[in-house]
Amino acid sequence: MEKREATMSSWSPERNQSPRGLDPHFSRTLFLLLLIVAPLAQGVTPDPEACQVFQSDNGSSINCHPPAKVPQYFPADTIYLSVEFFNLTQLPPDTLQGIPNLQELHLSSNGLESLSANFLLPVPQLKVLDLTHNALTRLPPGLFWGSAALHTLVLKENQLEVLETLWLHGLKALRHLDLSGNHLRTLPPGLLANFTDLRILDLGNNQLETLPPDLLRGPVKLERLHLEGNRLRVLEEGLLVPQPNLRYLFLNDNQLTMVAASAFRGLKQLDMLDLSNNSLTSVPKGLWTSLGQPGAARDMKDGFDISGNPWICDQNLDDLYQWLVDNKDKMFFRNNTCCTEPTAMKGQTLLAAAMSHVKPTAGVEMGGNSLAEHCTPLGN
Ligand SMILES: *[C@@H]1O[C@H](CO)[C@@H](O)[C@H](O)[C@H]1NC(C)=O
Ligand SMILES: *[C@@H]1O[C@H](CO)[C@@H](O)[C@H](O)[C@H]1NC(C)=O
Ligand SMILES: *[C@@H]1O[C@H](CO)[C@@H](O)[C@H](O)[C@H]1NC(C)=O
Ligand SMILES: *[C@@H]1O[C@H](CO)[C@@H](O)[C@H](O)[C@H]1NC(C)=O
Ligand SMILES: *[C@@H]1O[C@H](CO)[C@@H](O)[C@H](O)[C@H]1NC(C)=O
């Protein structure tokens, strides 16, 4: 015992200097932190009212969170700035003056009520602007006139009730637009017409009842589309047709009663579809078979969810039944995907109905009867 300890300390001198026996991982982390922070701190004890500064070859990154005080000026080489969780309501219009290389600006959770039209003019290289969880009701027209490089704009959880096309003028490189968690009721025509590079569009958790038919005619390279948590009643024929790259489609938590037969026709790469918690009783013939690549095995590799709809399990679903049986491995929440009518089928799962309808023998393999026993509609 003693012999071993002696050996240890002889080739591990630090051990004697850490009497409280720091966990080796912890001390290594601490060491790395010290390496990063020490040259900046210049021997001064960290000030809780100071923002954190990290320097790299590319410039300075600044993180300010309470209780730090937001400085009046930032280093001229600032490339990344995060000022979050303050209750600022307004920012001085010249906040970004003197930091022309800024690439990322994070201003979430500040209670910002408005921005001035010139706010972003000093930072033409800005790529990411995060305004999550503020109190913006509008944006000043012209805000983005100097923001041709901006590719990510997050306006999640603000108080927007409307959006005007003019507010987004100047954006040319937009790839990710997040407008979720606002109070949007309608969107103007042409809103996204110029955003041909858009990959991710999040309109989730608003109050949209309809969408302009041309909404997605500009952004035809979408990969992810969030429309969940709105009040959509109908998915129209043309909306999604030019979306050959769309992989994730969220339509859950709406009031859909109708999906047009050709609504999914353009979706050749879809990996995930969520239609759960809507008011669908049936779907038109051909809807499902139009998904994916013609001839190839239907992919939908990350699954699909059609639970929480009041399915009427009659012959109108023949087409869906066949597709379900072929794709049952990718089905989420089978036990919450229930028949509500006709009476004889009430309480059965849609999959059990499909199995017994399509291939009477398949029910035996799958235990079709036991599936029926566990049908629990969502929200009941
Ligand atoms: C510096 O910028 C280059 C090019 O944008 C990037 O590839 C690199 O990761 C950056 N380095 C650091 C330390 O941030
Ligand atoms: C911001 O306001 C909230 C609620 O009024 C309060 O709890 C929080 O401490 C405030 N934060 C700052 C940094 O003043
Ligand atoms: C699209 O961009 C052009 C040229 O910048 C502009 O004139 C037009 O108003 C923009 N349209 C929309 C709907 O934003
Ligand atoms: C269904 O969607 C509505 C509307 O978005 C939502 O309020 C409700 O919580 C959802 N129900 C379930 C069980 O997810
Ligand atoms: C769904 O039902 C099946 C068959 O009755 C049962 O084995 C399974 O545990 C249920 N799954 C859930 C998540 O309740």
Side-chain angles (χ1 to χ4, degrees):
M1 243 331 205
E2 267 171 46
K3 203 175 171 187
R4 196 167 157 237
E5 267 184 31
T7 323
M8 289 274 288
S9 60
S10 74
W11 57 260
S12 174
E14 303 95 299
R15 203 166 180 269
N16 292 335
Q17 291 158 17
S18 54
R20 273 169 292 168
L22 285 179
D23 164 281
H25 291 289
F26 178 66
S27 46
R28 197 179 315 138
T29 313
L30 198 66
F31 176 64
L32 284 175
L33 270 177
L34 284 174
L35 264 190
I36 296 165
V37 174
L40 308 172
Q42 289 163 349
V44 181
T45 351
D47 176 355
E49 296 204 340
C51 302
Q52 287 174 300
V53 180
F54 296 95
Q55 276 163 333
S56 76
D57 294 345
N58 295 344
S60 300
S61 299
I62 320 274
N63 273 294
C64 300
H65 297 137
K69 291 248 156 37
V70 184
Q72 213 163 352
Y73 303 103
F74 300 101
D77 70 344
T78 301
I79 51 167
Y80 176 104
L81 177 58
S82 166
V83 176
E84 297 181 320
F85 302 102
F86 292 95
N87 298 330
L88 295 170
T89 66
Q90 303 281 341
L91 287 171
D94 61 351
T95 303
L96 305 177
Q97 212 75 55
I99 47 172
N101 300 333
L102 192 68
Q103 317 254 319
E104 283 201 32
L105 177 57
H106 297 264
L107 292 169
S108 81
S109 307
N110 279 313
L112 292 172
E113 288 165 2
S114 63
L115 296 171
S116 78
N118 298 333
F119 180 60
L120 298 175
L121 282 184
V123 290
Q125 297 182 42
L126 194 68
K127 293 187 171 72
V128 176
L129 175 58
D130 179 6
L131 288 160
T132 300
H133 199 57
N134 279 289
L136 298 168
T137 53
R138 52 179 291 110
L139 298 176
L143 178 65
F144 299 115
W145 279 348
S147 301
L150 196 74
H151 63 61
T152 299
L153 173 58
V154 183
L155 286 159
K156 182 178 172 171
E157 293 166 21
N158 275 276
Q159 309 286 332
L160 302 170
E161 286 177 21
V162 291
L163 261 188
E164 287 176 26
T165 304
L166 203 57
W167 297 354
L168 302 182
H169 272 192
L171 295 171
K172 292 186 163 50
L174 207 58
R175 291 174 67 94
H176 181 175
L177 176 61
D178 187 343
L179 291 161
S180 63
N182 280 279
H183 309 296
L184 297 169
R185 288 166 187 280
T186 58
L187 297 171
L191 179 71
L192 307 175
N194 282 348
F195 304 141
T196 49
D197 280 333
L198 201 62
R199 300 293 197 269
I200 304 175
L201 175 60
D202 194 339
L203 291 164
N205 301 309
N206 277 284
Q207 293 160 23
L208 297 165
E209 291 179 9
T210 58
L211 298 168
D214 71 348
L215 182 70
L216 306 177
R217 296 236 176 104
V220 294
K221 295 181 205 157
L222 285 181
E223 290 167 9
R224 230 182 146 91
L225 176 60
H226 287 267
L227 291 167
E228 73 271 18
N230 280 286
R231 298 174 182 171
L232 300 173
R233 287 187 289 263
V234 176
L235 187 64
E236 305 277 3
E237 182 181 337
L239 186 78
L240 298 169
V241 165
Q243 295 298 340
N245 300 338
L246 194 66
R247 297 183 52 216
Y248 295 88
L249 175 56
F250 297 88
L251 285 161
N252 45 298
D253 306 332
N254 276 285
Q255 296 161 17
L256 291 172
T257 55
M258 217 274 280
V259 176
S262 57
F264 298 153
R265 201 183 52 207
L267 310 183
K268 300 301 176 203
Q269 307 287 344
L270 204 65
D271 286 337
M272 210 233 54
L273 172 62
D274 194 344
L275 274 168
S276 63
N277 191 19
N278 275 288
S279 303
L280 295 169
T281 54
S282 191
V283 283
K285 207 168 163 49
L287 179 72
W288 301 95
T289 45
S290 69
L291 277 165
Q293 309 274 6
R298 305 278 171 255
D299 205 358
M300 199 80 88
K301 67 181 167 59
D302 296 327
F304 65 96
D305 187 352
I306 56 173
S307 66
N309 282 284
W311 296 109
I312 297 180
C313 298
D314 60 16
Q315 71 286 354
N316 291 323
L317 289 186
D318 284 359
D319 196 44
L320 172 59
Y321 285 161
Q322 181 62 58
W323 190 88
L324 272 187
V325 169
D326 293 344
N327 291 279
K328 59 182 183 303
D329 297 343
K330 300 158 197 162
M331 183 176 185
F332 290 123
F333 299 109
R334 298 170 184 188
N335 296 7
N336 309 119
T337 310
C338 305
C339 300
T340 54
E341 281 183 52
T343 318
M345 306 290 278
K346 205 174 156 91
Q348 270 206 45
T349 65
L350 186 65
L351 185 57
M355 304 286 286
S356 57
H357 196 86
V358 174
K359 297 176 195 162
T361 52
V364 178
E365 301 163 18
M366 279 287 297
N369 287 334
S370 67
L371 276 173
E373 290 166 11
H374 285 81
C375 190
T376 39
L378 278 182
N380 279 14

